[in-house]
Amino acid sequence: MDATYYLNGGFKPTTKRFADLDGPDFFPTPAWATHALIDNEEFVGDIWESACGNGAMSKVLERTGNQVISSDLIDRGYGEGNHDFLNSWRKAPNIITNPPYNAAEGFVQTGLEKAGKKFALLLRLAFLEGANRQRTIFTDAPPSRVWVFSERITFYPAGTVQKGTGTTAYAWFVWDKDATSGTELKWFKPGYKALYSSGP
Protein backbone atom coordinates (compact mmCIF):
# COMPACT_ATOMS: atom_id res chain seq x y z
CA MET A 1 0.00 0.00 0.00
CA ASP A 2 1.22 3.49 -0.86
CA ALA A 3 1.22 5.39 2.45
CA THR A 4 -0.45 8.55 1.23
CA TYR A 5 -3.76 10.20 1.97
CA TYR A 6 -7.08 11.13 0.44
CA LEU A 7 -8.35 14.69 0.89
CA ASN A 8 -10.45 13.57 3.88
CA GLY A 9 -7.37 12.13 5.59
CA GLY A 10 -7.89 8.45 4.73
CA PHE A 11 -5.15 6.38 3.13
CA LYS A 12 -4.86 6.52 -0.66
CA PRO A 13 -3.79 3.04 -1.81
CA THR A 14 -2.60 3.59 -5.37
CA THR A 15 -1.77 7.22 -6.22
CA LYS A 16 1.38 8.89 -4.89
CA ARG A 17 0.88 12.14 -3.04
CA PHE A 18 2.70 15.13 -4.48
CA ALA A 19 5.58 16.45 -2.33
CA ASP A 20 5.42 13.62 0.17
CA LEU A 21 7.78 10.84 -0.83
CA ASP A 22 11.58 10.60 -0.86
CA GLY A 23 13.56 12.06 -3.75
CA PRO A 24 12.30 14.68 -6.20
CA ASP A 25 8.78 14.79 -4.72
CA PHE A 26 9.97 16.03 -1.31
CA PHE A 27 9.93 19.81 -0.77
CA PRO A 28 11.29 21.04 2.61
CA THR A 29 9.91 24.23 4.17
CA PRO A 30 12.26 27.23 3.81
CA ALA A 31 13.62 28.29 7.20
CA TRP A 32 12.42 31.86 6.88
CA ALA A 33 8.79 30.75 6.63
CA THR A 34 9.01 29.08 10.05
CA HIS A 35 10.90 32.03 11.54
CA ALA A 36 8.02 34.30 10.54
CA LEU A 37 5.64 32.22 12.66
CA ILE A 38 7.75 31.92 15.81
CA ASP A 39 8.67 35.61 15.68
CA ASN A 40 5.00 36.55 15.86
CA GLU A 41 3.35 33.75 17.87
CA GLU A 42 4.40 32.61 21.34
CA PHE A 43 4.35 28.88 22.04
CA VAL A 44 4.42 27.70 25.66
CA GLY A 45 5.36 24.08 26.24
CA ASP A 46 6.46 21.25 23.98
CA ILE A 47 6.05 21.53 20.21
CA TRP A 48 5.25 18.57 17.99
CA GLU A 49 6.28 18.83 14.33
CA SER A 50 4.14 16.02 12.96
CA ALA A 51 5.27 16.03 9.29
CA CYS A 52 8.94 16.79 9.91
CA GLY A 53 10.49 15.52 6.67
CA ASN A 54 14.24 16.11 6.90
CA GLY A 55 13.89 18.32 9.98
CA ALA A 56 13.95 21.69 8.18
CA MET A 57 11.11 23.11 10.28
CA SER A 58 12.03 21.29 13.49
CA LYS A 59 15.51 22.82 13.51
CA VAL A 60 14.01 26.31 13.41
CA LEU A 61 11.41 25.48 16.07
CA GLU A 62 14.19 24.44 18.43
CA ARG A 63 15.24 28.10 18.52
CA THR A 64 12.17 28.81 20.66
CA GLY A 65 13.89 26.96 23.52
CA ASN A 66 10.94 24.55 23.73
CA GLN A 67 11.25 20.78 23.52
CA VAL A 68 10.53 19.78 19.90
CA ILE A 69 9.13 16.34 19.05
CA SER A 70 9.55 15.37 15.39
CA SER A 71 7.73 12.65 13.46
CA ASP A 72 6.66 11.83 9.92
CA LEU A 73 4.60 9.24 8.09
CA ILE A 74 7.63 8.59 5.85
CA ASP A 75 11.03 7.80 7.40
CA ARG A 76 13.44 10.38 5.95
CA GLY A 77 16.15 9.89 8.56
CA TYR A 78 14.99 12.61 10.95
CA GLY A 79 12.81 12.24 14.01
CA GLU A 80 10.40 9.37 14.40
CA GLY A 81 9.62 7.80 11.03
CA ASN A 82 6.58 5.73 10.07
CA HIS A 83 4.43 7.69 12.53
CA ASP A 84 0.92 8.35 11.23
CA PHE A 85 -0.24 11.66 12.68
CA LEU A 86 -3.85 11.04 11.76
CA ASN A 87 -3.97 7.90 13.89
CA SER A 88 -1.36 8.78 16.51
CA TRP A 89 -1.72 8.20 20.24
CA ARG A 90 0.43 11.28 20.97
CA LYS A 91 -0.78 14.66 22.18
CA ALA A 92 1.21 17.85 22.77
CA PRO A 93 0.68 21.40 24.03
CA ASN A 94 1.53 22.75 20.57
CA ILE A 95 1.55 21.27 17.08
CA ILE A 96 3.25 23.10 14.20
CA THR A 97 3.70 21.64 10.74
CA ASN A 98 3.49 22.00 6.98
CA PRO A 99 1.06 19.17 6.20
CA PRO A 100 0.90 17.13 3.00
CA TYR A 101 -1.38 19.10 0.67
CA ASN A 102 -3.77 16.22 0.08
CA ALA A 103 -4.19 15.62 3.81
CA ALA A 104 -4.66 19.19 5.06
CA GLU A 105 -8.27 18.74 6.16
CA GLY A 106 -7.43 15.57 8.05
CA PHE A 107 -4.53 17.35 9.73
CA VAL A 108 -6.83 20.16 10.89
CA GLN A 109 -9.34 17.78 12.42
CA THR A 110 -6.65 15.69 14.11
CA GLY A 111 -4.62 18.68 15.27
CA LEU A 112 -7.61 20.23 17.00
CA GLU A 113 -7.97 17.06 19.03
CA LYS A 114 -4.29 16.56 19.85
CA ALA A 115 -3.05 20.12 20.56
CA GLY A 116 -3.62 21.39 24.08
CA LYS A 117 -2.73 25.05 23.51
CA LYS A 118 -1.93 26.02 19.91
CA PHE A 119 -2.07 24.34 16.55
CA ALA A 120 -0.46 25.95 13.48
CA LEU A 121 -0.53 24.75 9.87
CA LEU A 122 1.30 26.24 6.89
CA LEU A 123 -1.30 26.13 4.11
CA ARG A 124 -2.15 27.71 0.82
CA LEU A 125 -4.16 30.88 1.37
CA ALA A 126 -6.80 29.34 -0.89
CA PHE A 127 -7.52 26.88 1.93
CA LEU A 128 -9.95 29.58 3.11
CA GLU A 129 -12.12 28.76 0.11
CA GLY A 130 -14.45 25.82 -0.38
CA ALA A 131 -18.01 24.99 0.64
CA ASN A 132 -16.98 21.70 2.23
CA ARG A 133 -14.34 23.31 4.45
CA GLN A 134 -16.82 26.03 5.38
CA ARG A 135 -19.19 23.34 6.65
CA THR A 136 -16.71 20.92 8.21
CA ILE A 137 -14.02 23.24 9.63
CA PHE A 138 -14.65 26.95 9.56
CA THR A 139 -18.19 26.94 10.96
CA ASP A 140 -17.39 24.88 14.06
CA ALA A 141 -13.65 25.49 14.53
CA PRO A 142 -12.36 28.53 12.63
CA PRO A 143 -8.69 29.47 13.09
CA SER A 144 -7.94 32.15 15.66
CA ARG A 145 -5.47 33.91 13.40
CA VAL A 146 -4.44 33.67 9.75
CA TRP A 147 -0.97 35.10 9.11
CA VAL A 148 -0.65 35.96 5.42
CA PHE A 149 2.83 36.08 3.89
CA SER A 150 3.72 39.37 2.19
CA GLU A 151 6.44 37.47 0.31
CA ARG A 152 5.89 34.37 -1.79
CA ILE A 153 7.26 31.04 -0.54
CA THR A 154 8.98 28.84 -3.08
CA PHE A 155 9.30 25.15 -2.27
CA TYR A 156 12.26 23.38 -3.86
CA PRO A 157 13.11 19.67 -4.02
CA ALA A 158 15.72 18.80 -1.40
CA GLY A 159 19.27 19.48 -2.61
CA THR A 160 18.44 21.73 -5.56
CA VAL A 161 19.63 25.29 -6.16
CA GLN A 162 17.07 27.77 -4.93
CA LYS A 163 16.19 30.61 -7.29
CA GLY A 164 13.11 32.46 -8.48
CA THR A 165 9.86 33.02 -6.61
CA GLY A 166 6.68 31.03 -6.25
CA THR A 167 3.28 31.91 -7.65
CA THR A 168 1.13 30.54 -4.82
CA ALA A 169 0.10 32.56 -1.76
CA TYR A 170 0.59 30.88 1.62
CA ALA A 171 -0.41 31.64 5.21
CA TRP A 172 0.01 30.23 8.69
CA PHE A 173 -3.36 29.15 10.09
CA VAL A 174 -3.24 29.24 13.90
CA TRP A 175 -5.82 27.70 16.21
CA ASP A 176 -5.35 29.10 19.74
CA LYS A 177 -7.31 27.34 22.50
CA ASP A 178 -7.08 30.48 24.68
CA ALA A 179 -8.47 32.87 22.04
CA THR A 180 -11.90 34.27 22.80
CA SER A 181 -12.77 36.18 19.62
CA GLY A 182 -13.31 35.21 16.00
CA THR A 183 -10.72 34.82 13.26
CA GLU A 184 -8.15 37.60 13.02
CA LEU A 185 -6.50 38.23 9.64
CA LYS A 186 -2.90 39.48 9.93
CA TRP A 187 0.06 40.00 7.61
CA PHE A 188 3.75 39.27 8.12
CA LYS A 189 5.98 42.26 7.47
CA PRO A 190 8.20 41.87 4.38
CA GLY A 191 11.84 41.01 4.97
CA TYR A 192 11.81 37.53 6.47
CA LYS A 193 13.08 35.93 3.27
CA ALA A 194 16.18 38.16 3.19
CA LEU A 195 16.78 37.96 6.93
CA TYR A 196 16.66 34.19 7.28
CA SER A 197 17.30 32.84 3.77
CA SER A 198 20.78 31.63 4.71
CA GLY A 199 19.38 28.98 7.06
CA PRO A 200 18.07 28.43 10.61
Side-chain angles (χ1 to χ4, degrees):
M1 176 178 287
D2 183 14
T4 56
Y5 297 110
Y6 281 112
L7 286 171
N8 64 3
F11 279 119
K12 180 184 293 185
T14 57
T15 306
K16 289 187 176 181
R17 183 178 65 209
F18 179 76
D20 184 54
L21 304 181
D22 288 322
D25 289 332
F26 171 49
F27 295 74
T29 303
W32 69 269
T34 307
H35 276 288
L37 175 69
I38 63 175
D39 284 358
N40 290 277
E41 288 277 349
E42 181 180 8
F43 295 90
V44 178
D46 293 353
I47 298 172
W48 179 13
E49 213 290 46
S50 56
C52 69
N54 66 354
M57 186 178 291
S58 295
K59 293 171 185 175
V60 177
L61 294 176
E62 290 173 356
R63 296 173 69 93
T64 63
N66 298 18
Q67 178 69 33
V68 177
I69 305 159
S70 302
S71 67
D72 200 300
L73 178 66
I74 306 298
D75 187 352
R76 298 192 178 94
Y78 190 95
E80 181 182 349
N82 304 309
H83 189 99
D84 179 13
F85 174 66
L86 301 183
N87 293 291
S88 176
W89 49 266
R90 179 178 287 133
K91 292 188 177 182
N94 307 287
I95 298 174
I96 303 173
T97 196
N98 176 4
Y101 175 72
N102 285 348
E105 293 181 22
F107 266 63
V108 171
Q109 294 165 357
T110 303
L112 290 172
E113 298 173 1
K114 297 184 179 298
K117 296 178 181 293
K118 284 186 179 181
F119 172 51
L121 288 184
L122 179 60
L123 300 168
R124 295 181 182 185
L125 186 58
F127 190 76
L128 288 170
E129 302 172 340
N132 184 60
R133 282 191 284 273
Q134 189 277 331
R135 291 191 301 267
T136 60
I137 296 175
F138 298 132
T139 296
D140 297 328
S144 306
R145 287 173 292 282
V146 177
W147 287 94
V148 181
F149 281 92
S150 302
E151 303 165 280
R152 290 289 171 89
I153 304 175
T154 305
F155 292 92
Y156 295 91
T160 61
V161 177
Q162 301 186 11
K163 59 182 180 180
T165 56
T167 58
T168 303
Y170 285 87
W172 277 105
F173 289 65
V174 179
W175 285 263
D176 184 347
K177 298 293 181 72
D178 292 330
T180 56
S181 58
T183 301
E184 186 177 7
L185 187 61
K186 308 189 82 164
W187 285 263
F188 290 123
K189 294 180 179 179
Y192 280 99
K193 183 181 291 187
L195 185 61
Y196 294 111
S197 60
S198 60

